[in-house]
């Protein structure tokens, strides 16, 4: 007998695939967003109830998950070649004439936009997306299938029925300008580093380990190249039109032409019109349309002879350098900024450009009052690419990098191997003091509601705070009496500060702003060292023994805690009630099945990250060690275990355990300790089991 709820799952999946296509590819939804979300939630609930209906191409896969999965490298079936670049009309003419001569028959050219994102190769089998791989080195790339599944314009299941049983389709993953600008605004507000351009933002997003983050970034994709044995037509353009019917997003800017003049018309039109496109482009691609003719023309070692890219000139503007000013960051790093006579460039008015560091100023041989060339070239922060020496005023002085901090007057220091100059007056240089507090309250650190850079500036000006610990001495009445603040916002800040006392130790550690201790390093330190007192007294040897902590980081940690002021800061934060150690349940032992065992972790894993496995081993009484020796108890091996490790393990006769076996070993111990758990813990272990079931499924799928 059929189960109506299971039937409903299949019905919802089909309907959601169609609505997804209507909304994202055609831009013409037929149902409301609320109805779409409702159907999606209904499907999610039903799928959770019937895990046996698991389908890796279900529309719910678009939501992403937070399972950490190191990327697996996959070899491309057909190498991903690049295109020859041209920059002038003469070179385009040469290409056209070369093709004409070689073919010695009529031919058509398909003119396309050159999309400026990150290239991707998608494999479909029986109408289903089975794999998405980045370009990598052209021969092999990263398997980013789970991330790509969150991109709504990429079909998981194809429409129609005339697609080849197996084929690849390649294209570009892009972050639309609008999404890019919004993302950077949010990052700016949170004091996070900005993405330089949509290309970097798209490729950075695609490499995110957490596919839920990828889903939130709203990437788009245009597909422009089909590969396979049984494509429907001989024409590349015609195949793309078929692919559009299967559900792919194919640019409607593509044109098929015959003459060189038509090619130039296309180039000329798009050189200006491209500014109105929603995504970044950096040129035009010309392709001989017939696949038969493409085959006849063949390839050079690097690129096809049947295609070429014409790159647009980066837009440049010439303007006058007014003066160079210097900004001081929270670490004391000095950034020189060129202040310019305002000039129009690629649709915006440019007034400032970063000069990065003293070496750049020197290599430009920049003089006061110089006329300088500014370029954007897709970058958000314009850069100075050259100087018009001919218009230089005789006798003008070279720009000299400052020797003292513009904010506090401290002489600047330049450390070995670093391009930047630093103000080392950490304790009384205002932008450093404020910058450190701003970092402390930022979203990824303590995430304190109600506080932002402007409030920090005001509290500092008013003499209410001088460091992060002072925040916890603030009183509601004291804030409420300030202009611009009412009782409500004062209360809001107080409750934000109170809530920050629940923030985990690893984030507190990150919030301290120790140089080189970013989010990942803070996590590693917290997991290995477990409490602040141990960290404060850790030696360089102890620190560098931690996975991925090198000398530079270790020295910086020791330097930070050698300061009496920093030790006092930590003590005050501790007194205020901030978490200065890992939670008992984060470190609590689960079993002692690995007691006395030294376990090596090698390769990449499907269910947990290597760090998570280290944690699991420790919670089960074992020790994770870095290298294989006679004393190694076993090796927990993921995919692509290094060949030298494998050889050594075999030589010493050490057992190699795969992820599945390891997880079922753990699962058994968790089962036997289940009865001792609180209800909350059982919920957690259910999710662990779910993850494991999924992994088992994946592993089985890979084997058969
Ligand atoms: S065709 C064998 N078409 O440009 C050639 N590439 O240097 C296959 N690109 O890596 C590529 N827009 O990332 C092709 N309409 C387009 C393109 C395009 C952008 C990128 C692609 C490729 C690079 C070639």
């Amino acid at each position: 007998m059929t189960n109506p709820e299971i039937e409903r799952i299949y019905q919802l999946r089909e309907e959601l695939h169609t609505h997804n296509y209507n909304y994202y590819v055609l831009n013409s939804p037929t149902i409301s967003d609320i109805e779409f979300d409702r159907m999606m939630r209904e499907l999610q609930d039903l799928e959770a109830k019937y895990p046996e209906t698991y389908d890796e191409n279900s529309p719910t896969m678009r939501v992403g998950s937070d399972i950490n999965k190191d990327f697996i490298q996959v070899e491309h079936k057909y190498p991903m070649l690049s295109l020859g670049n041209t920059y002038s009309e003469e070179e385009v003419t040469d290409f056209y004439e070369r093709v004409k001569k070689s073919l010695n028959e009529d031919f058509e050219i398909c003119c396309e936009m050159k999309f400026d994102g990150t290239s991707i190769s998608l494999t479909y089998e029986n109408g289903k997306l089975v794999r998405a791989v980045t370009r990598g080195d052209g021969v092999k790339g990263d398997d980013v299938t789970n991330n790509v599944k969150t991109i709504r314009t990429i079909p998981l299941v194809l429409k129609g029925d005339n697609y080849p049983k197996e084929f690849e389709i390649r294209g570009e993953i892009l972050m639309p300008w609008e999404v890019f600008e919004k993302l950077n605004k949010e990052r700016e507000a949170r004091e996070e580093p900005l993405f330089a351009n949509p290309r970097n933002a798209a490729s950075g997003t695609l490499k995110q380990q957490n596919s839920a983050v990828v889903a939130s970034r709203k990437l788009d994709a245009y597909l422009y190249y089909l590969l396979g044995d049984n494509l429907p037509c001989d024409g590349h353009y015609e195949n793309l039109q078929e692919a559009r019917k299967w559900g792919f997003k194919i640019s409607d800017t593509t044109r098929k032409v015959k003459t060189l003049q038509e090619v130039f018309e296309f180039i000329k039109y798009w050189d200006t019109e491209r500014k109105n496109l929603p995504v970044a482009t950096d040129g035009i691609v010309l392709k001989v349309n017939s696949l038969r003719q493409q085959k006849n023309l063949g390839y050079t070692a690097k690129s096809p002879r049947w295609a070429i890219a014409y790159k647009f000139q980066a837009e440049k503007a010439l303007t006058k350098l007014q003066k160079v000013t210097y900004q001081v960051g929270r670490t004391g790093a000095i950034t020189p900024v060129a202040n310019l006579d305002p000039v129009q460039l690629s649709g915006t008015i440019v007034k400032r450009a970063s000069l990065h560091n003293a070496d750049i100023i020197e290599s430009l041989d920049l003089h006061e009052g110089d006329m300088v060339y500014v370029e954007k070239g897709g970058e958000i922060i314009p850069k100075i690419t050259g100087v018009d020496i001919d218009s230089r005023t005789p006798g003008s002085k070279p720009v000299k990098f400052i020797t003292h901090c513009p904010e506090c007057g401290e002489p600047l220091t330049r450390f070995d191997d670093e391009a930047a100059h630093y103000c080392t007056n950490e304790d009384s240089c205002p932008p450093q003091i404020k910058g450190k507090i701003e970092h402390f309250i930022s979203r990824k650190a303590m995430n304190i509601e109600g506080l932002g850079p402007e409030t920090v500036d005001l509290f500092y000006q008013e003499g209410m705070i001088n460091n992060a610990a002072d925040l916890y001495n603030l009183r509601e009445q004291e804030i409420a009496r300030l202009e611009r603040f009412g009782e409500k916002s004062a209360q809001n800040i107080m409750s934000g500060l109170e809530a920050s006392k629940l923030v985990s130790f690893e984030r507190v550690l990150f919030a301290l702003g120790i140089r080189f201790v970013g989010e990942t390093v803070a996590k590693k330190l917290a997991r290995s060292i477990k409490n602040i007192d141990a960290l404060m007294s850790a030696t360089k040897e102890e620190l560098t023994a931690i996975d991925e902590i090198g000398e530079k980081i270790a020295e910086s940690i020791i330097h930070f805690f050698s300061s009496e002021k920093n030790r006092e800061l930590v003590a005050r934060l501790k007194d205020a009630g901030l978490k200065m150690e890992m939670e008992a349940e984060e470190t609590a032992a689960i079993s002692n099945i690995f007691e006395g065992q030294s376990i090596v972790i090698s390769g990449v894993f499907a269910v947990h990250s290597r760090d998570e496995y280290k944690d699991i081993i420790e919670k089960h009484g074992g020790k994770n060690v870095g290298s294989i020796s006679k004393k190694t108890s076993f090796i927990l091996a993921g995919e692509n275990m290094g060949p030298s490790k494998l050889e050594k393990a075999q030589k010493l006769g050490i057992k190699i355990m795969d992820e599945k076996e390891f997880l079922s070993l753990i699962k058994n111990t968790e089962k036997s300790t289940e009865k001792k758990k609180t209800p909350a813990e059982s919920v957690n272990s259910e999710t662990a089991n779910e993850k494991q079931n999924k992994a088992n499924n994946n592993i089985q799928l890979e084997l058969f």
Side-chain angles (χ1 to χ4, degrees):
M1 224 184 68
T2 52
N3 176 334
E5 287 194 312
I6 292 187
E7 289 292 305
R8 177 78 181 139
I9 291 182
Y10 295 116
Q11 186 197 358
L12 280 167
R13 281 180 185 163
E14 213 177 302
E15 287 179 14
L16 281 165
H17 277 310
T18 307
H19 289 310
N20 188 72
Y21 174 77
N22 291 344
Y23 186 92
Y24 289 100
V25 181
L26 298 184
N27 254 331
S28 62
T30 53
I31 58 167
S32 70
D33 291 2
I34 297 177
E35 179 59 8
F36 185 89
D37 291 346
R38 194 202 55 72
M39 286 168 73
M40 191 69 113
R41 262 197 313 274
E42 185 188 347
L43 179 58
Q44 272 175 322
D45 292 345
L46 285 172
E47 285 180 344
K49 191 165 167 193
Y50 299 100
E52 67 274 21
T53 66
Y54 176 82
D55 174 3
E56 53 185 7
N57 285 324
S58 164
T60 52
M61 292 308 226
R62 304 264 196 207
V63 188
S65 93
D66 61 358
I67 294 181
N68 275 334
K69 190 176 188 302
D70 294 326
F71 299 117
I72 292 169
Q73 290 239 312
V74 180
E75 194 156 328
H76 293 293
K77 185 166 170 198
Y78 314 93
M80 280 182 91
L81 302 177
S82 57
L83 293 167
N85 284 329
T86 60
Y87 298 87
S88 66
E89 293 200 352
E90 292 77 66
E91 286 173 292
V92 171
T93 308
D94 287 351
F95 165 75
Y96 188 89
E97 294 301 333
R98 245 186 350 256
V99 167
K100 192 169 160 187
K101 196 162 162 219
S102 304
L103 289 176
N104 200 19
E105 60 178 344
D106 283 353
F107 63 94
E108 291 175 313
I109 297 274
C110 186
C111 305
E112 302 173 7
M113 298 311 298
K114 187 169 188 303
F115 294 103
D116 193 12
T118 181
S119 45
I120 194 76
S121 186
L122 310 172
T123 303
Y124 284 81
E125 283 171 15
N126 302 313
K128 294 196 167 150
L129 172 67
V130 293
R131 212 164 24 259
V133 184
T134 62
R135 182 169 190 277
D137 60 5
V139 176
K140 50 184 173 5
D142 285 331
D143 183 331
V144 288
T145 314
N146 286 336
N147 284 352
V148 162
K149 280 183 179 169
T150 68
I151 302 172
R152 311 287 171 141
T153 41
I154 292 183
L156 303 181
V157 176
L158 300 183
K159 304 194 302 149
D161 52 12
N162 70 333
Y163 46 75
K165 200 164 173 296
E166 196 186 326
F167 69 97
E168 273 186 55
I169 187 161
R170 292 183 179 168
E172 209 79 355
I173 292 188
L174 301 141
M175 182 174 283
W177 284 111
E178 204 185 317
V179 179
F180 167 71
E181 274 149 23
K182 187 160 168 266
L183 175 68
N184 259 358
K185 269 205 191 103
E186 287 164 6
R187 290 174 78 87
E188 196 173 5
R190 295 194 301 257
E191 308 271 303
E192 287 169 9
L194 303 187
F195 284 116
N197 51 45
R199 180 183 0 99
N200 288 5
S203 66
T205 302
L206 203 61
K207 294 288 180 67
Q208 279 274 338
Q209 289 290 333
N210 182 336
S211 58
V213 173
V214 184
S216 74
R217 296 259 179 98
K218 300 196 172 62
L219 296 175
D220 201 351
Y222 282 97
L223 286 308
Y224 46 62
Y225 186 27
L226 277 150
L227 293 115
D229 292 331
N230 296 307
L231 302 180
C233 318
D234 174 60
H236 161 75
Y237 178 84
E238 289 72 17
N239 279 328
L240 289 183
Q241 305 315 312
E242 287 304 309
R244 176 180 285 138
K245 295 183 200 147
W246 306 334
F248 292 105
K249 189 163 179 176
I250 308 290
S251 171
D252 50 19
T253 57
T254 302
R255 291 282 176 277
K256 208 169 57 160
V257 304
K258 286 206 169 90
T259 66
L260 194 52
Q261 174 160 358
E262 288 170 307
V263 169
F264 286 133
E265 277 164 15
F266 186 88
I267 292 179
K268 194 155 169 252
Y269 179 78
W270 285 109
D271 197 356
T272 50
E273 200 52 34
R274 70 191 182 105
K275 285 167 208 139
N276 299 321
L277 291 175
V279 292
T281 54
D282 61 344
I284 297 290
V285 180
L286 305 173
K287 296 174 185 168
V288 171
N289 194 49
S290 152
L291 302 190
R292 176 186 58 82
Q293 290 178 336
Q294 287 186 1
K295 209 165 161 202
N296 285 346
L297 289 162
Y299 296 82
T300 69
K302 281 199 299 202
S303 49
R305 288 203 180 87
W306 46 264
I308 201 160
Y310 168 83
K311 299 277 279 244
F312 296 126
Q313 293 278 332
E315 260 192 276
K316 253 188 209 176
L318 190 63
T319 188
K320 189 174 173 184
L321 172 71
Q322 290 174 346
K323 63 172 181 224
V324 177
T325 52
Y326 298 84
Q327 286 176 347
V328 187
R330 90 174 146 87
T331 58
I334 310 285
T335 311
V337 178
N339 294 261
L340 310 162
D341 275 356
V343 63
Q344 184 86 23
L345 179 66
S346 315
T348 54
I349 293 175
V350 176
K351 292 186 210 144
R352 282 147 59 91
S354 168
L355 283 165
H356 303 284
N357 55 50
D359 294 342
I360 303 267
I361 294 179
E362 203 169 306
S363 66
L364 283 166
D365 185 27
L366 202 60
H367 282 49
E368 288 170 7
D370 268 352
M371 291 300 287
V372 291
Y373 290 103
V374 233
E375 262 183 39
K376 266 217 266 187
E379 313 289 313
I380 188 122
I381 302 160
K383 55 175 182 251
I384 293 185
T385 52
V387 173
D388 181 27
I389 309 239
D390 296 341
S391 60
R392 180 174 286 163
T393 318
S396 72
K397 291 198 208 104
V399 170
K400 279 206 107 168
F401 203 86
I402 47 170
T403 53
H404 290 72
C405 176
E407 301 276 346
C408 72
E410 179 88 359
L412 300 181
T413 311
R414 199 170 189 181
F415 300 107
D416 288 348
D417 309 327
E418 283 203 48
H421 282 76
Y422 285 88
C423 163
T424 54
N425 180 16
E426 294 172 49
D427 301 331
S428 43
C429 179
Q432 293 191 58
I433 296 173
K434 285 189 279 181
K436 284 192 179 78
I437 304 175
E438 283 163 15
H439 168 74
F440 182 84
I441 62 168
S442 65
R443 199 179 56 94
K444 287 192 174 166
M446 305 303 288
N447 192 20
I448 302 177
E449 286 264 340
L451 287 179
E454 281 175 25
T455 343
V456 168
D457 186 44
L458 180 70
F459 291 178
Y460 174 76
Q461 300 294 347
E462 292 287 323
M464 290 153 68
I465 54 172
N466 211 39
N467 60 38
D470 293 341
L471 291 170
Y472 295 91
N473 289 350
L474 290 171
R475 268 169 299 130
E476 201 173 308
Q477 298 91 318
E478 188 185 10
I479 302 171
R481 74 169 168 74
L482 292 174
E483 221 182 298
R484 290 204 286 119
F485 282 88
E487 257 172 45
K488 188 96 187 67
S489 42
Q491 267 168 18
N492 206 9
I493 293 175
M494 295 316 282
S495 54
L497 285 163
E498 199 51 40
S500 73
K501 294 177 186 169
L502 298 175
V503 166
S504 66
F505 173 50
E506 60 189 44
R507 275 173 51 196
V508 174
L509 205 49
F510 170 60
L512 290 178
I514 305 170
R515 260 183 104 196
F516 309 126
V517 179
E519 267 180 287
T520 318
V521 171
K523 211 174 262 179
K524 284 193 194 304
L525 286 170
R527 287 191 184 159
S528 308
I529 300 214
K530 304 207 165 47
N531 69 65
I532 198 83
D533 296 323
L535 182 65
M536 281 165 79
S537 55
T539 61
K540 192 161 153 184
E541 288 67 36
E542 282 166 336
L543 290 168
T544 49
I546 302 169
D547 188 26
E548 284 179 45
I549 308 283
E551 286 206 1
K552 200 164 93 172
I553 303 175
E555 277 164 12
S556 168
I557 295 167
I558 292 169
H559 173 74
F560 183 88
F561 290 116
S562 69
S563 145
E564 189 50 47
K565 270 219 155 89
N566 288 337
R567 294 176 83 91
E568 192 194 312
L569 176 83
V570 170
R572 284 182 59 207
L573 291 173
K574 199 174 181 181
D575 285 346
L578 264 54
K579 289 204 170 137
M580 290 295 174
E581 58 186 3
M582 293 285 275
E583 290 285 340
E585 64 264 27
E586 285 173 314
T587 51
I590 299 172
S591 84
N592 56 2
I593 50 163
F594 298 141
E595 197 167 286
Q597 297 195 25
S598 300
I599 301 159
V600 171
I601 306 176
S602 179
V604 286
F605 297 91
V607 187
H608 296 288
S609 66
R610 289 165 71 115
D611 274 340
E612 286 168 349
Y613 277 118
K614 178 173 188 285
D615 206 40
I616 294 173
I617 289 170
E618 284 168 3
K619 283 182 183 159
H620 287 271
K623 201 169 140 202
N624 167 227
V625 290
S627 56
I628 302 173
S629 72
K630 276 190 307 219
K631 291 190 200 135
T632 306
S633 313
F634 68 89
I635 297 163
L636 166 58
E639 283 189 55
N640 295 357
M641 174 177 170
S644 61
K645 274 199 172 145
L646 190 65
E647 198 187 315
K648 195 161 178 193
Q650 281 163 348
K651 215 157 142 195
L652 295 170
I654 293 166
K655 180 178 164 59
I656 297 175
M657 195 184 289
D658 68 17
E659 194 175 16
K660 191 178 156 196
E661 189 183 348
F662 179 86
L663 286 170
S664 53
L665 209 72
I666 306 290
K667 193 180 175 188
N668 289 338
T669 70
E670 280 172 4
K671 269 207 186 117
S672 62
T673 52
E674 197 90 69
K675 49 187 174 302
K676 291 180 214 139
K677 284 183 176 170
T678 64
E681 283 167 335
S682 303
V683 172
N684 285 341
S685 71
E686 260 171 42
T687 29
N689 290 346
E690 273 167 25
K691 277 186 182 181
Q692 187 189 329
N693 285 339
K694 255 195 207 159
N696 291 349
N697 284 343
N698 284 345
I699 291 164
Q700 275 163 13
L701 282 173
E702 272 156 23
L703 285 176
F704 301 109

